[in-house]
Amino acid sequence: MTSSADSSADRLVLEAVGVALRAVPQHARMAIAFSGGLDSTVLLDATVRVAGASRCVAFHVHHGLSPNADRWVEQGEAFARTLGVAFASRRVDVPKSAGVSLEAAARDARYRALDMLCAEHQVQQLWLAQHADDQAETVLLQLLRGAGLAGLAAMAPEYRPPGTAAVRVRPLLHMLRAQLEAYARARGLRWIDDESNADTRYARNALRHEVLPRLAVHFPGFRDALARTAAHAAAAQRLVDDLARIDLQDIASEDGRSLERAALLALDDDRAQNLLRYWIRTLGLPAASTARLTDAL
């Protein structure tokens, strides 16, 4: 029998997907980044219920990091088939570079693959299944790394990275993982459990399994508080980006690929660094640390 909590979760998930769908052109398709885990399984199932299978395509990225990865592709394709949803997968090689964590390298490879799949299938909306617990973890990780505003803004509900084919949309960002579990339970869904998610050598897993449960005991509303922190940081970041755009008009070359040295150095250090961060981002280059920007100036 379905509990009231399960039926409430069902309604909330469908409402969240419906809100996101209202921003999509009437006949446009949405790509769902579909790992086969709980979160993306819920998102794919709910999107099909709200929008219809013909408007959905499931994209799966094979990282090659788990001995079970081949089986996950098969399971993902089989689940998409039961929903009547088109399915496409891409295998990536995750580079093991000095100074770059395996988590970060896998994430970058995954997003590059998803962006290429969107371009190939001419999809302009990429829906991602991150939720409120993921957002809280991201804000805490960024705080512990000493990140600036852009880092503390964490994951935006909607964002289009420069040079990409699709807008990234996170319809479930305000939902709790427990609510997604309740939805899946009520629907009788089955999902993949990636064994690496239990490995607390990875920073995010350590937070998820060892820190957040203890934090919840003393600060039960911490997820909402961290979500507000992310929203405040995002608003402040938009303002400093506006300032950078104003400065860039007087300092950048016509094609935007070089800066006028004397005009840049005429700015105070904080404003010059803000301009450099924004300029580097608009060129699609990796973000530079404060130390590197100081050296550059």
Side-chain angles (χ1 to χ4, degrees), residues 136 140 211-226:
L140 280 175
V211 177
L212 296 190
R214 301 190 67 176
L215 198 59
V217 173
H218 301 286
F219 303 95
F222 77 91
R223 294 176 184 84
D224 288 339
L226 291 174

Side-chain angles (χ1 to χ4, degrees), residues 135-186:
Q135 184 77 314
E137 292 165 10
T138 301
V139 175
L140 280 175
L141 281 172
Q142 296 290 3
L143 279 168
L144 293 170
R145 291 166 180 163
L149 285 175
L152 294 181
M155 295 179 290
E158 185 173 311
Y159 173 61
R160 182 170 185 166
T164 59
V167 177
R168 296 175 186 173
V169 180
R170 296 179 170 92
L172 306 180
L173 198 56
H174 67 283
M175 304 284 302
L176 299 174
R177 178 181 170 86
Q179 292 172 314
L180 304 189
E181 288 178 345
Y183 175 99
R185 186 167 55 243

Side-chain angles (χ1 to χ4, degrees), residues 103-116:
E103 289 174 287
R107 182 181 62 249
D108 290 345
R110 176 169 64 254
Y111 279 123
R112 283 196 301 273
L114 290 169
D115 287 334
M116 286 189 284

Side-chain angles (χ1 to χ4, degrees), residues 283-296:
L283 295 177
L285 299 173
S289 66
T290 299
R292 278 183 173 272
L293 294 178
T294 300
D295 287 344

Side-chain angles (χ1 to χ4, degrees), residues 73-88:
V73 176
E74 295 171 1
Q75 288 179 276
E77 186 170 13
F79 180 67
R81 192 183 306 119
T82 65
L83 297 177
V85 171
F87 177 90

